PDB file of all heavy atoms in Angstrom:
ATOM      1  N   LEU A  44      36.233  18.206 -12.094  1.00 92.00           N
ATOM      2  CA  LEU A  44      35.441  19.210 -12.885  1.00 92.00           C
ATOM      3  C   LEU A  44      36.151  20.078 -13.931  1.00 92.00           C
ATOM      4  O   LEU A  44      35.700  20.104 -15.060  1.00 92.00           O
ATOM      5  CB  LEU A  44      34.700  20.088 -11.905  1.00 92.00           C
ATOM      6  CG  LEU A  44      33.740  21.095 -12.488  1.00 92.00           C
ATOM      7  CD1 LEU A  44      32.569  20.347 -13.215  1.00 92.00           C
ATOM      8  CD2 LEU A  44      33.181  22.082 -11.452  1.00 92.00           C
ATOM      9  N   PRO A  45      37.373  20.606 -13.692  1.00 92.00           N
ATOM     10  CA  PRO A  45      38.009  21.350 -14.723  1.00 92.00           C
ATOM     11  C   PRO A  45      38.358  20.504 -15.982  1.00 92.00           C
ATOM     12  O   PRO A  45      38.272  20.968 -17.095  1.00 92.00           O
ATOM     13  CB  PRO A  45      39.308  21.939 -13.992  1.00 92.00           C
ATOM     14  CG  PRO A  45      38.964  21.871 -12.553  1.00 92.00           C
ATOM     15  CD  PRO A  45      38.049  20.711 -12.395  1.00 92.00           C
ATOM     16  N   ALA A  46      38.794  19.305 -15.738  1.00 93.00           N
ATOM     17  CA  ALA A  46      39.152  18.458 -16.830  1.00 93.00           C
ATOM     18  C   ALA A  46      37.904  18.044 -17.622  1.00 93.00           C
ATOM     19  O   ALA A  46      38.007  18.135 -18.970  1.00 93.00           O
ATOM     20  CB  ALA A  46      39.872  17.085 -16.353  1.00 93.00           C
ATOM     21  N   GLN A  47      36.739  17.885 -17.062  1.00 93.00           N
ATOM     22  CA  GLN A  47      35.562  17.591 -17.850  1.00 93.00           C
ATOM     23  C   GLN A  47      35.087  18.807 -18.664  1.00 93.00           C
ATOM     24  O   GLN A  47      34.661  18.692 -19.744  1.00 93.00           O
ATOM     25  CB  GLN A  47      34.391  17.174 -16.775  1.00 93.00           C
ATOM     26  CG  GLN A  47      34.635  15.855 -16.224  1.00 93.00           C
ATOM     27  CD  GLN A  47      33.509  15.534 -15.189  1.00 93.00           C
ATOM     28  OE1 GLN A  47      32.743  16.418 -14.779  1.00 93.00           O
ATOM     29  NE2 GLN A  47      33.514  14.361 -14.761  1.00 93.00           N
ATOM     30  N   VAL A  48      35.211  20.050 -18.004  1.00 93.00           N
ATOM     31  CA  VAL A  48      34.802  21.314 -18.723  1.00 93.00           C
ATOM     32  C   VAL A  48      35.714  21.522 -19.932  1.00 93.00           C
ATOM     33  O   VAL A  48      35.242  21.862 -21.086  1.00 93.00           O
ATOM     34  CB  VAL A  48      34.831  22.443 -17.805  1.00 93.00           C
ATOM     35  CG1 VAL A  48      34.714  23.800 -18.501  1.00 93.00           C
ATOM     36  CG2 VAL A  48      33.777  22.316 -16.726  1.00 93.00           C
ATOM     37  N   LEU A  49      37.130  21.287 -19.746  1.00 93.00           N
ATOM     38  CA  LEU A  49      37.958  21.463 -20.913  1.00 93.00           C
ATOM     39  C   LEU A  49      37.773  20.500 -22.009  1.00 93.00           C
ATOM     40  O   LEU A  49      37.843  20.814 -23.160  1.00 93.00           O
ATOM     41  CB  LEU A  49      39.414  21.382 -20.389  1.00 93.00           C
ATOM     42  CG  LEU A  49      39.910  22.666 -19.610  1.00 93.00           C
ATOM     43  CD1 LEU A  49      41.254  22.405 -19.062  1.00 93.00           C
ATOM     44  CD2 LEU A  49      39.847  23.869 -20.437  1.00 93.00           C
ATOM     45  N   THR A  50      37.409  19.175 -21.654  1.00 93.00           N
ATOM     46  CA  THR A  50      37.166  18.192 -22.688  1.00 93.00           C
ATOM     47  C   THR A  50      35.885  18.561 -23.473  1.00 93.00           C
ATOM     48  O   THR A  50      35.818  18.407 -24.682  1.00 93.00           O
ATOM     49  CB  THR A  50      37.057  16.871 -22.136  1.00 93.00           C
ATOM     50  OG1 THR A  50      36.111  16.806 -21.062  1.00 93.00           O
ATOM     51  CG2 THR A  50      38.355  16.286 -21.636  1.00 93.00           C
ATOM     52  N   ARG A  51      34.803  19.149 -22.733  1.00 93.00           N
ATOM     53  CA  ARG A  51      33.601  19.510 -23.414  1.00 93.00           C
ATOM     54  C   ARG A  51      33.885  20.755 -24.329  1.00 93.00           C
ATOM     55  O   ARG A  51      33.304  20.816 -25.466  1.00 93.00           O
ATOM     56  CB  ARG A  51      32.542  19.902 -22.422  1.00 93.00           C
ATOM     57  CG  ARG A  51      31.874  18.714 -21.788  1.00 93.00           C
ATOM     58  CD  ARG A  51      30.703  19.079 -20.873  1.00 93.00           C
ATOM     59  NE  ARG A  51      30.181  17.976 -20.208  1.00 93.00           N
ATOM     60  CZ  ARG A  51      29.243  18.016 -19.316  1.00 93.00           C
ATOM     61  NH1 ARG A  51      28.812  19.255 -18.934  1.00 93.00           N
ATOM     62  NH2 ARG A  51      28.837  17.072 -18.651  1.00 93.00           N
ATOM     63  N   ILE A  52      34.636  21.709 -23.964  1.00 92.00           N
ATOM     64  CA  ILE A  52      34.994  22.835 -24.744  1.00 92.00           C
ATOM     65  C   ILE A  52      35.792  22.475 -25.940  1.00 92.00           C
ATOM     66  O   ILE A  52      35.530  22.936 -27.088  1.00 92.00           O
ATOM     67  CB  ILE A  52      35.794  23.887 -23.912  1.00 92.00           C
ATOM     68  CG1 ILE A  52      34.950  24.508 -22.814  1.00 92.00           C
ATOM     69  CG2 ILE A  52      36.398  24.951 -24.788  1.00 92.00           C
ATOM     70  CD1 ILE A  52      35.632  25.446 -21.907  1.00 92.00           C
ATOM     71  N   ARG A  53      36.697  21.566 -25.829  1.00 91.00           N
ATOM     72  CA  ARG A  53      37.502  21.040 -27.014  1.00 91.00           C
ATOM     73  C   ARG A  53      36.639  20.338 -27.987  1.00 91.00           C
ATOM     74  O   ARG A  53      36.797  20.424 -29.112  1.00 91.00           O
ATOM     75  CB  ARG A  53      38.710  20.164 -26.493  1.00 91.00           C
ATOM     76  CG  ARG A  53      39.767  21.098 -25.822  1.00 91.00           C
ATOM     77  CD  ARG A  53      40.998  20.207 -25.458  1.00 91.00           C
ATOM     78  NE  ARG A  53      41.925  21.011 -24.710  1.00 91.00           N
ATOM     79  CZ  ARG A  53      42.541  20.570 -23.669  1.00 91.00           C
ATOM     80  NH1 ARG A  53      42.369  19.367 -23.178  1.00 91.00           N
ATOM     81  NH2 ARG A  53      43.366  21.415 -22.981  1.00 91.00           N
ATOM     82  N   ALA A  54      35.664  19.562 -27.441  1.00 89.00           N
ATOM     83  CA  ALA A  54      34.825  18.818 -28.359  1.00 89.00           C
ATOM     84  C   ALA A  54      33.917  19.774 -29.134  1.00 89.00           C
ATOM     85  O   ALA A  54      33.722  19.525 -30.326  1.00 89.00           O
ATOM     86  CB  ALA A  54      33.964  17.799 -27.480  1.00 89.00           C
ATOM     87  N   THR A  55      33.384  20.754 -28.520  1.00 87.00           N
ATOM     88  CA  THR A  55      32.559  21.715 -29.176  1.00 87.00           C
ATOM     89  C   THR A  55      33.420  22.599 -30.183  1.00 87.00           C
ATOM     90  O   THR A  55      32.959  22.841 -31.315  1.00 87.00           O
ATOM     91  CB  THR A  55      31.888  22.701 -28.288  1.00 87.00           C
ATOM     92  OG1 THR A  55      32.831  23.321 -27.407  1.00 87.00           O
ATOM     93  CG2 THR A  55      30.869  21.985 -27.425  1.00 87.00           C
TER      94      THR A  55
END
Side-chain angles (χ1 to χ4, degrees):
L44 184 63
Q47 289 177 349
V48 169
L49 287 176
T50 55
R51 283 186 187 173
I52 289 174
R53 287 184 187 134
T55 55

